[in-house]
Amino acid sequence: MAKDIFRIAVIGAGETGTPLLNKLLDAPFVELLGVADLDAEAPGMRLARSRGVATTTDFMDFARLGEAVDVLIDVTGVAAVREALRQHMQDSGNHHTLIVHETVVQLMLSLLGGRLVQLKHGVEDY
């Protein structure tokens, strides 16, 4: 069955998450449930708040929403974040929510931009 709206949360609101957020915020078929980043003043966090989207510094807030989330997009570049999300999905029996890795985001942004987009991750924080 085709979806008419995608309920999405984004984890990571820096140099990678912000361009993605701009696209998601402009898409009429996306309900952006929220954005998480350790830095409450990260560019994507400020953007989300300015558009009335919930923000948090605890990425697990969105995992705990369970099947209310269709897609969790992790653009942190931190393996421990991805593993915590996977473990939560397994422990909670959530077989609905998809976890999208930053490599898929890189592909999507590259396709949209018509050129290869390089992601920037330096520190092991989200």
Side-chain angles (χ1 to χ4, degrees):
M1 183 168 146
K3 293 194 70 59
D4 58 350
I5 192 151
F6 294 90
R7 298 167 300 173
I8 297 174
V10 177
I11 303 169
E15 290 184 54
T16 301
T18 303
L20 175 64
L21 285 170
N22 278 310
K23 299 287 187 191
L24 294 171
L25 285 164
D26 291 340
F29 47 85
V30 168
E31 179 184 352
L32 190 56
L33 299 176
V35 179
D37 198 287
L38 283 178
D39 180 0
E41 294 304 315
M45 296 284 271
R46 289 193 311 269
L47 172 63
R49 284 192 303 272
S50 76
R51 299 281 296 270
V53 175
T55 61
T56 181
T57 55
D58 180 0
F59 69 92
M60 290 303 292
D61 286 347
F62 299 125
R64 288 187 282 270
L65 291 176
E67 294 185 7
V69 181
D70 296 319
V71 182
L72 273 172
I73 301 176
D74 171 19
V75 289
T76 65
V78 179
V81 169
R82 222 169 15 263
E83 185 53 37
L85 292 171
R86 284 189 193 120
Q87 190 63 53
H88 180 81
M89 297 303 155
Q90 184 176 358
D91 292 347
S92 67
N94 182 345
H95 299 289
H96 173 78
T97 305
L98 298 174
I99 301 169
V100 173
H101 184 279
E102 64 267 3
T103 301
V104 176
V105 172
Q106 180 182 18
L107 171 62
M108 292 186 317
L109 291 174
S110 297
L111 289 169
L112 288 169
R115 64 173 179 75
L116 181 62
V117 172
Q118 294 299 324
L119 304 185
K120 299 172 181 151
H121 293 292
V123 293
E124 282 290 303
D125 287 330
Y126 77 91

